[in-house]
Amino acid sequence: MNIDNAEGPVDIRHWLRVCIAVASVLTVLAVLIGAEVGGPDVANDISTWALTILPLAAAVTCLVRSRRYTGRHRWGWAVLGAGVLSWGLGQAYTLAQTFPHGGDLPVPSLADAGYLGMILLVPVGLLILPSASQPLANRARSILDGLLVATSLVLVSWVFVVDPQYGPGDTGLAFYMKLIYPLGDIVIATMIGYMLPQRRARFRCSADLMFFGLGVIGFAFSDIGYAYLGMIDDYRSGMIVDLGWMFGFALVIVGAARPKDAEPLKSEFSSRMQMSGVMLPYIAVGAALFASVLFHIATGHSSPFVAYSRSVLILLLIGRQVLTLLENRDLTRGLEARVEERTAELYAREQQFHALIRHSSDVVTVLDAGGTVTFQSESMQRVFGYRPELFLGRHYTEVLAPEVAIRLSQAMRQVAVRPYSSVTLEIIHTHQDGRKRPSEMIVTNLVDDPHVNGFVLNTRDISERKELQEQLIHEAYHDSLTQLANRALFRDKTAAALERTDGLTVLHLDLDGFKRVNDSLGHLAGDQLLVQVADRIKGCVRGEDVVARFGADEFAVLIEAASSEEAEFVARRILDDLELPVEVGARNIHVRASIGLAQAALLDDEDEDRAEQLLRNADLAMHHAKAAGGSAFTSYRTQMRDGLIERLELENDLRAACENHDLRLHYQPTIDLDTNQVVGFEALVRWPHPTRGMINPLDFIPIAEATGLIVPLGLWVLREACRQAVEWSEAAGGRPLKMSVNVSVRQFDQLDFAETVAAVLAETGMPADRLCLEMTESVLMTDTEANLEQLVRLKALGLTLAIDDFGTGYSSLAYLRRFPVDTLKIDRSFVERLGVIGDDTALTDTIVRLGKSLGMSTVAEGIEEFGQLAALREMGCMFAQGYYFSRPVPAAEAGRLFLEGAEAPVA
């Protein structure tokens, strides 16, 4: 059987067995002594032996309990055990003197020295035990309270019980010795009564001390009976009165044997019980004084004992009041210090609040229930240019534009039905200089809050955020280099056109030999070539036709309301125009292109996504034109779908490569721009095909995505990258290494993806904080609630999350705030423009600042020139990747880069 507490479950079966054994022994003793089985002499022997064995057992139990603790707990229980042992030694002396002949020792005797030892040692042990923090005066007062209660009870007992039985000459040392025992018991019981609430408040449990206190009450009953029967010369060992001592020592055994961390008691000490404890000494003294008055009235004279007892009570009361005065003085000083400290703290918080409001980027306004402005923060002048005094005491309809006032009124009515509710508005404020400033206003109902009594308006200027969002939306649907439409916008335009007519044609254009331009002249020259090609294509079509760049050297044209002959004429015109040399720097470059044409009239009616199918048809036709030698155009024919067989073969080869572990990982280093050192790698999968050579990831990764092979492939990449990172880190003497692994949409959709990552971390020994999972914006924008839950589970593992190719897709900044993302990876298309098109750095700089404002680090991809690196450093970008530092390299070469501590080039 277990019980629960703050430190966990505790087994109490042993303690229950002790309780049962003790109860059984007490039952047998009560029957033998109560029924005087075998006669008075046998009862005398049984009682003497029992009262020798039980205190010795109780002392051993207390000493064993003391070994479970350290410090004051150990010493306190050790002294308590010594006190109980003293009583047992006194009783052992009695046994040695009276057994086997029976009888009782005279009072006083050496046995009384042992009995008195318990009365002296037990209070000392109680004072040693740790309790809730309290001054020495408070501890001493508990002793005085016990003496007050005990003396009062003795005085009352004297008046009503003892005096009628005693003559003037009956008192003596033996008489007072017998009174000391119940007096000491009452003092000890009172001390325990005061300690129980204090120990319960600190240690949550006081059952052990409670059992000890109940045992002392049992001692008191027997000592009172012993004193009374001794006064009337009617006490002998073996009487029922001895059972109180036996029950007392049994309860001490039970309390000391209780487990150290037992379950807290369910009952609490109420304030009424605590007040009764405070008033108990006064009640006892009042009863004693009343009894002494009755004694004087009844006898007509005063007894020396009564007079001495009253004097002792008066002295104890004076001592108690002095201690109370000292305690109150300490409490007053402590209270004054706390009040001063609290006042200073409140003043500091008030100043902090005013400083935060004064310098906040939010404008805080409070309207009372009637709509009058009762508070206006000073930030109003800094954000919108108006002095806050202009608004105080005026109705909101007087200071806001009519359309804004109407929306605010609706929002206030909406939140008025529920206290503390809030609603968010996007409105347009007019700056003092006349500019329109898009703003976000949060209206919160705090009318029922006594500290506010109104509606709180938190307004912030979001014009920069809106501009950035519009820029990102534009970038999401346009190619950053040529400013043409991108594939997403082109597809949407195509789908819209198909809703109107089937008389349209898509041209898919791919430059021939463009890779050689990049390899020989560099990406900068290649980008300049692409810009001029885009201009030439736009010059060959009508203004209403849509021209797009799909990426790299691929372009597309959407021609609406044109026959197949007209579309072919446009394609021929583009090819002829591209035959003219393109001037790039000091060079003239001749460029050719392959064009595929696809007509909407050839689409199958059963195709679900006709726009996508039309683009695929144009792509198939373009590949046939390129396969035919290039610099030509080819119209789509249904037979071209046979080329999909090749894709199927590639899919089968990829499946076999995954099963046979033919894939390899290359690693591209990540550079810390502050230290120029390699701090991590991005793991990139490569496929050396046995017959086709190294296959471009852009060719096989989409196949893996479409077939679901990306899930086992991604798991292999994750496990191998983590294993490799741990190996490199151990070889470098524990130097940390951040490993980045790309995560696809299909992997992210796995419900157990977080558990899979955790298993890989445990298997490889990879620290979670050294793993970064990279995902594109498209991962975040689909099924956002489920994705947010998945991200939270991943983040709980302790790893880092990054958005790859940030800015090339579309993601709302509101979503960016919600998702627990750590890193933004700036797409290479932004980095390419640094120093190319009029030193266009604004958007890249905005993204870096956005990351900083959201507490995210930024990684720039695709750095190929020092000018790009210098610009990024000036912006405050933290990390970088690119060919300027290193291409993706095999594991052996990457490990050498890390282990040798290679630094990135700085010039």
Side-chain angles (χ1 to χ4, degrees):
M1 178 184 295
N2 292 337
I3 54 178
D4 294 328
N5 57 28
E7 297 186 17
V10 177
D11 192 350
I12 63 169
R13 287 176 294 183
H14 174 71
W15 181 67
L16 291 177
R17 288 194 291 267
V18 171
C19 293
I20 293 172
V22 170
S24 302
V25 172
L26 286 178
T27 302
V28 172
L29 291 175
V31 171
L32 293 177
I33 295 175
E36 292 190 349
V37 177
D41 292 338
V42 175
N44 184 344
D45 292 339
I46 292 174
S47 176
T48 304
W49 277 100
L51 289 178
T52 301
I53 296 173
L54 284 174
L56 295 177
V60 171
T61 309
C62 291
L63 294 174
V64 170
R65 184 176 187 81
S66 71
R67 302 299 298 174
R68 303 178 188 170
Y69 297 99
T70 58
R72 293 179 59 182
H73 253 122
R74 168 174 289 188
W75 286 106
W77 276 102
V79 174
L80 290 177
V84 176
L85 179 61
S86 177
W87 202 99
L89 293 176
Q91 185 64 20
Y93 177 79
T94 301
L95 176 65
Q97 295 297 319
T98 60
F99 187 81
H101 306 293
D104 296 310
L105 294 179
V107 179
S109 68
L110 288 178
D112 292 297
Y115 303 147
L116 290 174
M118 187 180 81
I119 295 176
L120 295 175
L121 291 174
V122 169
V124 174
L126 293 175
L127 291 175
I128 293 175
L129 283 176
S131 182
S133 179
Q134 51 182 324
L136 179 62
N138 198 345
R139 289 173 172 263
R141 195 181 64 181
S142 66
I143 299 177
L144 291 183
D145 287 344
L147 291 172
L148 280 170
V149 173
T151 306
S152 299
L153 292 178
V154 169
L155 181 55
V156 172
S157 300
W158 174 273
V159 170
F160 293 105
V161 179
V162 177
D163 186 72
Q165 301 293 333
Y166 263 55
D170 291 338
T171 58
L173 181 58
F175 167 75
Y176 290 111
M177 286 291 296
K178 294 174 182 177
L179 288 182
I180 287 176
Y181 299 130
L183 183 68
D185 294 336
I186 295 172
V187 171
I188 295 172
T190 305
M191 290 180 64
I192 294 176
Y194 278 107
M195 289 180 63
L196 284 177
Q198 301 291 342
R199 284 180 56 79
R200 183 174 181 81
R202 180 175 179 182
F203 301 106
R204 298 185 61 212
C205 178
S206 54
D208 50 2
L209 195 60
M210 183 185 70
F211 279 114
F212 200 102
L214 293 175
V216 172
I217 294 174
F219 299 156
F221 279 113
S222 288
D223 286 333
I224 291 171
Y226 169 72
Y228 176 74
L229 294 175
M231 292 175 188
I232 62 176
D233 293 327
D234 194 28
Y235 175 78
R236 58 178 175 77
S237 180
M239 300 178 67
I240 294 179
V241 71
D242 295 351
L243 292 176
W245 289 313
M246 299 178 191
F247 276 97
F249 288 117
L251 289 172
V252 171
I253 293 173
V254 170
R258 187 174 175 82
K260 173 184 174 182
D261 296 313
E263 183 180 14
L265 297 176
K266 300 301 181 184
S267 61
E268 296 288 347
F269 293 96
S270 64
S271 58
R272 180 176 299 178
M273 291 180 63
Q274 294 180 6
M275 180 58 67
S276 300
V278 173
M279 296 301 297
L280 178 61
Y282 295 103
I283 296 172
V285 171
L289 295 178
F290 179 72
S292 67
V293 171
L294 289 181
F295 177 79
H296 183 73
I297 294 173
T299 61
H301 63 84
S302 176
S303 167
F305 185 85
V306 174
Y308 293 150
S309 298
R310 278 202 308 266
S311 299
V312 170
L313 287 176
I314 293 172
L315 291 174
L316 291 175
L317 281 174
I318 293 173
R320 190 182 193 279
Q321 292 306 113
V322 170
L323 293 175
T324 302
L325 179 63
L326 294 175
E327 182 183 6
N328 289 338
R329 186 185 64 179
D330 292 338
L331 289 175
T332 302
R333 290 177 177 174
L335 182 60
E336 290 175 351
R338 290 180 61 188
V339 168
E340 291 178 359
E341 180 182 355
R342 185 61 175 166
T343 302
E345 181 181 351
L346 290 176
Y347 178 76
R349 288 187 178 181
E350 182 179 359
Q351 294 303 311
Q352 181 185 27
F353 170 77
H354 285 304
L356 290 174
I357 291 296
R358 186 180 305 114
H359 300 287
S360 172
S361 59
D362 286 5
V363 177
V364 180
T365 308
V366 179
L367 307 177
D368 63 16
T372 301
V373 179
T374 60
F375 173 81
Q376 181 63 66
S377 66
E378 298 177 14
S379 54
M380 169 62 79
Q381 185 164 8
R382 186 177 66 258
V383 177
F384 294 111
Y386 298 99
R387 289 185 294 108
E389 297 81 10
L390 297 176
F391 299 88
L392 293 176
R394 302 176 66 183
H395 198 271
Y396 69 89
T397 55
E398 302 175 23
V399 296
L400 293 176
E403 61 274 11
V404 176
I406 292 173
R407 295 194 62 195
L408 176 58
S409 176
Q410 295 172 345
M412 291 170 62
R413 286 197 299 270
Q414 180 179 345
V415 300
V417 298
R418 189 177 60 177
Y420 303 101
S421 61
S422 63
V423 65
T424 302
L425 309 175
E426 283 197 8
I427 56 178
I428 303 296
H429 273 313
T430 303
H431 196 276
Q432 188 185 31
D433 59 12
R435 292 176 298 161
K436 299 298 182 182
R437 311 295 291 179
S439 305
E440 182 181 77
M441 177 183 289
I442 302 175
V443 183
T444 306
N445 177 12
L446 296 182
V447 175
D448 294 336
D449 191 321
H451 303 290
V452 181
N453 295 321
F455 296 93
V456 178
L457 315 181
N458 291 85
T459 309
R460 63 171 59 99
D461 184 352
I462 60 171
S463 55
E464 289 187 5
R465 191 175 81 184
K466 281 290 186 182
E467 292 173 2
L468 175 60
Q469 192 163 350
E470 290 173 1
Q471 283 182 298
L472 290 176
I473 291 174
H474 181 270
E475 291 293 336
Y477 288 101
H478 291 81
D479 175 57
S480 59
L481 178 63
T482 63
Q483 296 305 307
L484 297 176
N486 63 9
R487 184 182 184 90
L489 180 58
F490 188 84
R491 182 194 171 283
D492 291 345
K493 295 278 189 181
T494 303
L498 287 171
E499 295 290 334
R500 298 189 298 267
T501 179
D502 282 345
L504 56 90
T505 304
V506 168
L507 282 67
H508 191 146
L509 180 149
D510 183 88
L511 300 182
D512 298 330
F514 177 73
K515 186 176 183 301
R516 291 194 300 271
V517 176
N518 272 344
D519 293 342
S520 59
L521 302 181
H523 286 284
L524 179 59
D527 291 344
Q528 293 175 347
L529 172 63
L530 291 173
V531 171
Q532 296 195 45
V533 168
D535 292 338
R536 290 193 180 188
I537 295 174
K538 287 190 293 184
C540 296
V541 299
R542 301 169 300 184
E544 62 269 23
D545 296 333
V546 180
V547 181
R549 180 190 176 207
F550 283 179
D553 58 344
E554 294 186 54
F555 296 85
V557 180
L558 175 62
I559 304 176
E560 191 173 348
S563 64
S564 59
E565 291 78 9
E566 292 172 329
E568 290 178 356
F569 174 77
V570 172
R572 187 176 294 107
R573 183 178 178 183
I574 292 174
L575 291 176
D576 292 341
D577 200 45
L578 290 179
E579 287 290 338
L580 300 176
V582 178
E583 185 176 345
V584 177
R587 297 176 180 272
N588 288 328
I589 300 176
H590 292 271
V591 62
R592 301 188 306 166
S594 300
I595 303 177
L597 289 76
Q599 298 177 2
L602 298 179
L603 290 175
D604 296 332
D605 293 335
E606 62 270 13
D607 289 333
E608 294 182 2
D609 192 340
R610 301 181 73 222
E612 190 63 33
Q613 184 60 51
L614 186 60
L615 267 62
R616 284 200 297 267
N617 291 346
D619 180 64
L620 281 174
M622 182 272 295
H623 280 93
H624 276 76
K626 188 176 287 291
S631 190
F633 64 86
T634 302
S635 296
Y636 171 77
R637 302 181 303 277
T638 55
Q639 294 84 353
M640 291 182 180
R641 289 195 179 180
D642 297 339
L644 295 177
I645 297 175
E646 181 181 356
R647 185 180 186 277
L648 182 60
E649 292 176 351
L650 191 63
E651 176 186 333
N652 292 333
D653 291 345
L654 178 60
R655 193 180 304 275
C658 290
E659 294 175 354
N660 299 329
H661 306 292
D662 292 334
L663 299 173
R664 298 291 180 266
L665 283 186
H666 286 195
Y667 300 89
Q668 185 168 30
T670 301
I671 308 300
D672 187 332
L673 293 184
D674 287 335
T675 63
N676 294 319
Q677 289 188 339
V678 176
V679 295
F681 291 92
E682 180 180 1
L684 301 170
V685 65
R686 295 292 184 263
W687 182 14
H689 194 278
T691 58
R692 302 185 185 186
M694 189 68 73
I695 297 181
N696 193 321
L698 296 177
D699 293 333
F700 69 86
I701 291 297
I703 296 177
E705 289 271 8
T707 59
L709 287 173
I710 195 68
V711 175
L713 175 59
L715 177 59
W716 174 80
V717 171
L718 179 64
R719 182 182 291 112
E720 178 63 19
C722 290
R723 184 200 63 77
Q724 188 67 75
V726 171
E727 179 180 321
W728 286 338
S729 181
E730 291 176 351
R735 182 154 61 96
L737 179 146
K738 177 76 78 172
M739 180 62 72
S740 299
V741 178
N742 291 284
V743 177
S744 72
V745 177
R746 294 291 292 269
Q747 288 177 272
F748 199 77
D749 289 340
Q750 301 293 311
L751 296 179
D752 61 345
F753 182 57
E755 289 75 11
T756 300
V757 174
V760 171
L761 293 174
E763 175 187 343
T764 60
M766 176 75 165
D769 60 344
R770 299 183 187 176
L771 174 63
C772 177
L773 297 183
E774 298 184 6
M775 59 208 73
T776 60
E777 293 173 339
S778 61
V779 173
L780 304 180
M781 290 305 300
T782 57
D783 194 8
T784 54
E785 292 302 325
N787 288 346
L788 177 59
E789 182 181 351
Q790 183 79 285
L791 288 172
V792 170
R793 289 200 299 268
L794 289 170
K795 191 64 181 172
L797 299 177
L799 46 79
T800 303
L801 300 176
I803 298 180
D804 197 11
D805 302 333
F806 180 75
T808 58
Y810 170 71
S811 62
S812 168
L813 293 183
Y815 286 135
L816 195 58
R817 283 179 174 273
R818 290 180 60 199
F819 294 135
V821 177
D822 305 287
T823 303
L824 299 179
K825 298 198 71 173
I826 305 171
D827 186 67
R828 71 178 303 271
S829 60
F830 298 113
V831 176
E832 291 171 353
R833 299 168 62 184
L834 298 180
V836 176
I837 304 177
D839 193 23
D840 188 1
T841 64
L843 188 55
T844 306
D845 183 54
T846 302
I847 295 176
V848 172
R849 288 191 290 111
L850 173 65
K852 289 182 179 179
S853 66
L854 296 177
M856 302 178 183
S857 60
T858 50
V859 180
E861 298 180 297
I863 297 177
E864 297 184 2
E865 297 180 350
F866 177 73
Q868 298 169 347
L869 175 62
L872 288 166
R873 277 204 177 113
E874 185 176 353
M875 294 175 193
C877 185
M878 302 176 184
F879 304 98
Q881 289 179 316
Y883 287 2
Y884 180 75
F885 307 108
S886 172
R887 293 174 176 270
V889 294
E893 187 174 345
R896 199 158 49 248
L897 283 175
F898 181 70
L899 295 177
E900 294 175 359
E903 294 189 355
V906 295

